[in-house]
Amino acid sequence: MSNITRRDPLDDFFRGFFVRPVEYGGGPAANAEAPQMRVDVKEQEDAYQVHAELPGIRKEDIHVHIDGPVVSISAERKQDKEVKEGERVLRTERYFGQVSRSFQLGQDVDEGRASARFNDGVLELTLPKKVAPQAKRLVIE
């Protein structure tokens, strides 16, 4: 009995397509490592604790926006363009520009009681949960 094998013409096309990384665009800017903001979010009974790593950024360049349960953090790292006379820059690997993150929490945040601290490149947010209004029972007279 002869062996019959089925051949899918698209099999060769897709083979290797998912194995190699696909690059979009070109040039050094497209291949540079994109900046990332590492964020940890912890939930407590009455608040959320957020820790965001922002090394090399000044606290004046960090902005936090709260809209109900949505928290947005944006920051900008500015490039120091000071080059001393006779100095030559051979390589620069630090990223300069803007980075931002937004995420949604499980409950609205009480913006009036929220607080932020920035220490050693880590932004610490304490975001108290907004107290849900209690249902009120009306007495009919």
Side-chain angles (χ1 to χ4, degrees):
M1 192 172 270
S2 67
N3 291 335
I4 299 176
T5 57
R6 291 187 156 191
R7 188 163 187 273
D8 185 5
L10 293 177
D11 188 43
D12 290 336
F13 176 75
F14 287 114
R15 183 178 313 192
F17 182 77
F18 296 108
V19 176
R20 295 186 300 270
V22 179
E23 292 184 26
Y24 297 101
N31 295 331
E33 183 177 322
Q36 294 182 357
M37 180 188 314
R38 308 277 189 210
V39 177
D40 295 334
V41 181
K42 297 178 184 176
E43 182 177 11
Q44 298 174 341
E45 188 175 324
D46 61 343
Y48 295 100
Q49 296 290 325
V50 177
H51 290 210
E53 292 180 353
L54 297 166
I57 297 177
R58 299 181 333 200
K59 69 178 181 178
E60 296 83 17
D61 297 329
I62 301 171
H63 304 285
V64 179
H65 181 72
I66 301 170
D67 185 14
V70 178
V71 178
S72 300
I73 304 170
S74 62
E76 182 178 7
R77 183 176 297 139
K78 298 178 181 172
Q79 183 175 9
D80 298 329
K81 295 185 179 184
E82 181 180 322
V83 177
K84 297 176 185 173
E85 188 174 329
E87 185 177 58
R88 204 169 51 135
V89 177
L90 298 178
R91 185 172 181 94
T92 297
E93 294 183 351
R94 295 183 300 155
Y95 173 81
F96 301 100
Q98 292 185 338
V99 63
S100 64
R101 291 285 302 267
S102 291
F103 48 90
Q104 184 168 351
L105 302 171
Q107 193 171 337
D108 285 358
V109 173
D110 186 355
E111 301 93 355
R113 297 187 310 138
S115 64
R117 288 185 342 176
F118 187 65
N119 191 20
D120 293 335
V122 177
L123 175 66
E124 298 175 10
L125 303 176
T126 301
L127 307 171
K129 295 178 181 178
K130 193 174 272 189
V131 179
Q134 297 291 331
K136 183 177 179 181
R137 186 173 196 168
L138 293 176
V139 177
I140 302 173
E141 295 181 22

